[in-house]
Each structure stands twice: as structure tokens, then as C-alpha cells.
Amino acid sequence: MKQLTKFHLTTLKDERLLKKHNWKMPQTKKKQTKSEDASKGDTGAVRISKDGDISIQILAKPGSKLNHITGISEEGVGIQIAAPPSDGEANTELVKYLSKVLGIRKSDLSLDKGMKSRQKIVTVAKSANLTVDDVLDKFDKVKQDV
């Protein structure tokens, strides 16, 4: 199979001609932009916000027997919480559990959205010195331990 040069690219634009001679277009490397580099390890569940904090989408399941990470997907991190969903007990237990799993202070975590919902967004302050990959690794480790 014959490889084309830049000269051929400018002169041969007819795809039928390429197919007829069984030629291939040269592979070009995609250049990464700064935003792609910054979000390299980002999934839908864990990502870096505009101000540099890490946002974690949580799919909470309160009323469980013990605290446990059930799964990580594009929709969010599934966490069973050993507290009833009343009077904010589950939210307090969620923040306490996440601080233990991530090895950071509770003051570095904040519950931004979903105070009365099962779908929550928890923010890890950039002062905690964690990356998205660190968070995902710690979640995977805890998920495998149980």
C-alpha cells in the first residue's frame, strides 16, 4: 500500500482516485489543547472545576448498613451511606466518609448541590492537594477492599 505525501494531499482530492490506487491518507497526530491536558484523567463523575477545585458527582443511597462505594460511572460515584436520609444525617455521614476515604480534612470538602436529593455534588478544595487521578485511585482502592 502506497503512502501519500503532502504534495499528493494538495493535488489528489478525489476519493475515488485514492480507492482506485489503494492509497492511504497519512495519519496526522492530533494536537492536545490546554483544556484537554487539564482534563486528562477526568471522567463524568470526577472532574476539575473552573476555579481548580475537584467536583465529585455522588449517587447517594442512604439507609444502608455500612458506608461503601458501590461503583464509579459517567453518571457519578455510587455510595451507600449508613445514616437515615433525615435531618441532614446522611449528608454529614457522606462528608465524614469521603474525608476518611480521601485522607483529607472535613473542612476541605463541601456539599455544593443536592442537600435534599440523592444526586449530589461534593467539592474538594484545591488546598487539599489532590488530583483527579488521586481521587479515582482512592475510590478504586476502597471499592476493591470490600
Side-chain angles (χ1 to χ4, degrees):
M1 194 161 288
K2 189 173 183 178
Q3 197 72 20
L4 296 179
T5 63
K6 286 186 179 181
F7 172 76
H8 288 106
L9 288 177
T10 56
T11 57
L12 296 175
K13 294 189 178 186
D14 190 0
E15 288 184 32
R16 290 176 289 160
L17 199 58
L18 294 173
K19 287 180 184 176
K20 179 181 175 186
H21 295 289
N22 202 16
W23 289 340
K24 277 185 161 180
M25 298 293 282
Q27 297 292 325
T28 58
K29 292 183 180 178
K30 182 183 172 189
K31 293 182 181 178
Q32 288 186 338
T33 61
K34 288 182 181 178
S35 62
E36 287 174 338
D37 288 338
S39 63
K40 210 169 194 178
D42 293 3
T43 66
V46 182
R47 61 183 60 179
I48 297 177
S49 63
K50 292 178 184 175
D51 54 351
D53 295 337
I54 297 175
S55 296
I56 306 170
Q57 273 189 287
I58 304 290
L59 303 173
K61 299 165 190 141
S64 175
K65 291 186 179 185
L66 55 103
N67 295 327
H68 175 61
I69 295 177
T70 58
I72 302 169
S73 67
E74 291 293 318
E75 292 84 34
V77 178
I79 299 180
Q80 292 179 341
I81 304 165
S86 60
D87 300 328
E89 289 179 46
N91 292 335
T92 305
E93 186 68 25
L94 174 66
V95 170
K96 186 177 172 183
Y97 177 66
L98 285 175
S99 69
K100 179 183 165 193
V101 168
L102 297 175
I104 59 176
R105 299 174 299 177
K106 287 187 279 186
S107 60
D108 287 336
L109 289 171
S110 64
L111 184 60
D112 285 350
K113 292 183 183 177
M115 291 291 222
K116 295 184 178 183
S117 170
R118 290 181 183 222
Q119 295 180 341
K120 304 174 184 300
I121 296 180
V122 176
T123 301
V124 180
K126 59 183 168 186
S127 62
N129 294 325
L130 287 177
T131 65
V132 171
D133 290 333
D134 292 340
V135 172
L136 290 171
D137 288 343
K138 289 182 181 192
F139 284 163
D140 282 335
K141 183 180 175 191
V142 169
K143 187 178 156 194
Q144 291 173 357
D145 287 347
V146 174

